Amino acid sequence: MTMRLDMTKWLVPAVGIVIGILMAIALMGQHASPGQIALSLVFVVGYAVVVQVLARHSDVAAVLAGHPADERWSTINDRALSLAAQVTAVVLVTAFLVASFAGGDAIPYAWVGAVLAVSYLAGIAWFRARS
Amino acid sequence: MTNDVRRLREERGLSQGQLATELDVSRQTVNAIETGRYLPSLPLAFSIGRLFGRPIEEIFHDDEAGHD
């Protein structure tokens, strides 16, 4: 039995590279300059690579890289994610209300909020079934 | 909850880092357990018990239940 939780080690770098490439393609479609395209690619991919490299020396970097050092760091990661999700929900509701009262387009906020709500409910159902 | 992890570790002449290596956790986690800031999971508590050759209830104490 191991205490070290084996989250997918290369998930964060892989996602970073995929997002970086997609951003570069999107910028190419907008006829951005090669410098802008390179900068966006370096920024996103660089973040993924840096946290992956630093993860060997820093527990915080290990969390950011997607492989917490142990169960305590995994719990810290879960709590931080929960806090971030709650803050995001409050910001989304606020943005939705502000956009609605200002006569702006509130639909994107509603969609993101709906995704958040549905994934939360799905998470409850999934983890209830597994515990 | 209180525990005797620090005392047991020191009795065996282990540093926090050495105990962390034995348990496959970070040194900060060992420190958090010793100071009561973090309650280990049941599997980790069993690992601690095995390492020190004692049952869990001899290492971790429920303050609310009182001691016999």
Side-chain angles (χ1 to χ4, degrees):
Chain A
M1 186 187 325
T2 176
M3 294 300 113
R4 201 171 285 278
L5 303 178
D6 187 30
M7 289 175 67
T8 42
K9 187 175 180 181
W10 297 102
L11 182 63
V12 169
V15 169
I17 289 167
V18 169
I19 290 175
I21 291 170
L22 291 177
M23 279 177 64
I25 292 170
L27 286 171
M28 276 187 236
Q30 295 170 10
H31 305 294
S33 69
Q36 285 176 307
I37 295 169
L39 192 66
S40 70
L41 194 60
V42 166
F43 184 76
V44 178
V45 175
Y47 166 80
V49 171
V50 165
V51 294
Q52 190 68 34
V53 170
L54 290 180
R56 296 173 197 163
H57 311 287
S58 162
D59 290 333
V60 175
V63 169
L64 294 177
H67 41 94
D70 56 37
E71 63 173 45
R72 175 173 159 266
W73 280 103
S74 186
T75 302
I76 290 170
N77 185 41
D78 291 345
R79 288 178 179 171
L81 279 173
S82 173
L83 177 66
Q86 289 174 58
V87 170
T88 302
V90 170
V91 169
L92 276 174
V93 170
T94 304
F96 175 83
L97 292 174
V98 168
S100 297
F101 282 116
D105 185 9
I107 296 301
Y109 302 117
W111 272 112
V112 176
V115 169
L116 195 63
V118 168
S119 56
Y120 175 65
L121 293 173
I124 289 176
W126 173 258
F127 291 116
R128 184 190 64 177
R130 289 167 58 95
S131 63
Chain B
M1 290 283 285
T2 57
N3 67 74
D4 298 328
V5 173
R6 182 185 297 271
R7 180 178 60 77
L8 292 167
R9 172 178 64 77
E10 289 175 347
E11 281 177 3
R12 282 157 180 75
L14 293 172
S15 67
Q16 285 186 339
Q18 288 170 324
L19 180 58
T21 301
E22 291 287 333
L23 296 172
D24 199 16
V25 299
S26 68
R27 189 197 61 76
Q28 290 90 341
T29 294
V30 169
N31 185 57
I33 291 170
E34 288 185 352
T35 54
R37 286 184 290 111
Y38 176 69
L39 293 178
S41 67
L42 206 48
L44 180 53
F46 271 113
S47 291
I48 293 170
R50 268 198 303 275
L51 191 74
F52 292 127
R54 297 183 183 218
I56 291 175
E57 60 269 27
E58 282 188 18
I59 301 174
F60 296 92
H61 312 292
D62 180 3
D63 294 337
E64 292 183 12
H67 296 284
D68 293 330

